[in-house]
Amino acid sequence: MQRTTQRLGKVVMPTTFYCLVALAWSTVVSPIPDVTLNTHYWYTLGLEFIWVYAATVFMAPWFGLAKSRLSQKSYTTTVIAVGILAFVVNGYIAAMSTTSAGEFSWLQKLMSAATYVIAFLIGGLLRDVTDVMDSDRAGALGMRSLAAILALATILEGALSFTGNLTAMAVLSYKSTSLISFALAAASLLFSATRRSASGNPRTAGVIVTLSTATLGFYVMQSLTSSLWRPVFNTLLANMLVSQNSPAAICIITGTVISIVFALALLIIDAARSLIVRKLKRQ
């Protein structure tokens, strides 16, 4: 429970810090739409991923207890069955919401939360698989899995795009509750977990770890400020898309570059915040 409390602190404290900064900026410097003392969505469902992650961290010891009480076969079968059921429900909700003007948005939020928890459990199953394999076999499995899913996803999405079936594209690849997004995330996790130690490149490993731990801060910052940056980026890309001299391919490439630069900027900001906090603790 002490470890769980420490882990929760690493989630709650940075989130609270950025919420206070956003509120102070909106109150004193320049208003941020919906970020006020009188509104609640921006720090509740607006940060749903953060609170679901915190709840998952809190429940982790009980997941471990349940796993220790069940046989490996029973536990594995249960998690896989629940995962399949979740994606059947996710697919149905996504298909229905496209024809009902987002009528099921509240249910999508609920299923998104459930999917995050299931992802956590499936990540544990991936660890069980790689633990019983030698490093070479595990590395080959991670590499082949990621390559295969990337190829299948690219072919499928390309075919749907070419035929103009945008509804199917949204159902299969939109956010964490979609099958393609989840499969790519799981394969990426497996690939990363089965890489050999990067002790020969300690600086590179350090940068990767630093940016990885800043992901939580990135999520909070981009969520709290989305009403500021999203209209600017949307307008830029929309104008580019309708321009006769700018085909869709240029629009897609520009959007990708903007996303990468924006993400790196926020990751670096949170990494700097974390560094300052660590130095203050040492002092």
Side-chain angles (χ1 to χ4, degrees), residues 180-261:
I180 289 180
S181 296
F182 186 87
L184 284 170
S188 299
L189 175 62
L190 181 61
F191 174 80
S192 300
T194 54
R195 295 303 91 195
R196 292 187 174 182
S197 173
S199 58
N201 301 284
R203 290 186 178 179
T204 301
V207 170
I208 292 173
V209 171
T210 300
L211 293 180
S212 297
T213 55
T215 302
L216 184 143
F218 155 76
Y219 183 91
V220 177
M221 283 188 284
Q222 63 84 25
S223 179
L224 293 177
T225 60
S226 62
S227 58
L228 300 179
W229 59 262
R230 189 183 297 274
V232 176
F233 291 167
N234 284 351
T235 300
L236 172 65
L237 295 175
N239 291 337
M240 186 176 296
L241 192 60
V242 299
S243 174
Q244 294 182 353
N245 298 323
S246 301
I250 296 179
C251 179
I252 293 173
I253 293 172
T254 304
T256 302
V257 172
I258 289 175
S259 298
I260 293 173
V261 172

Side-chain angles (χ1 to χ4, degrees), residues 14-136:
T15 303
T16 303
F17 170 79
Y18 286 119
C19 284
L20 291 176
V21 169
L23 181 61
W25 182 279
S26 182
T27 303
V28 179
V29 182
S30 177
I32 300 176
D34 300 324
V35 178
T36 67
L37 283 173
N38 300 323
T39 56
H40 310 289
Y41 181 87
W42 60 280
Y43 63 84
T44 54
L45 286 179
L47 296 177
E48 175 206 26
F49 171 78
I50 299 298
W51 304 126
V52 172
Y53 178 65
T56 306
V57 169
F58 180 77
M59 292 185 292
W62 282 271
F63 289 145
L65 180 62
K67 184 176 181 181
S68 68
R69 297 293 178 88
L70 296 173
S71 67
Q72 181 64 32
K73 183 178 180 180
S74 297
Y75 181 81
T76 301
T77 302
T78 301
V79 172
I80 292 176
V82 171
I84 292 174
L85 177 62
F87 281 107
V88 170
V89 175
N90 283 332
Y92 173 78
I93 293 174
M96 293 300 295
S97 65
T98 58
T99 61
S100 59
E103 182 181 346
F104 293 91
S105 59
W106 64 272
L107 192 52
Q108 284 177 305
K109 282 284 187 181
L110 183 62
M111 283 306 301
S112 178
T115 305
Y116 289 139
V117 177
I118 293 169
F120 178 81
L121 297 176
I122 291 179
L125 291 185
L126 291 176
R127 175 64 178 267
D128 292 339
V129 171
T130 57
D131 273 351
V132 297
M133 302 173 64
D134 63 67
S135 59
D136 291 336

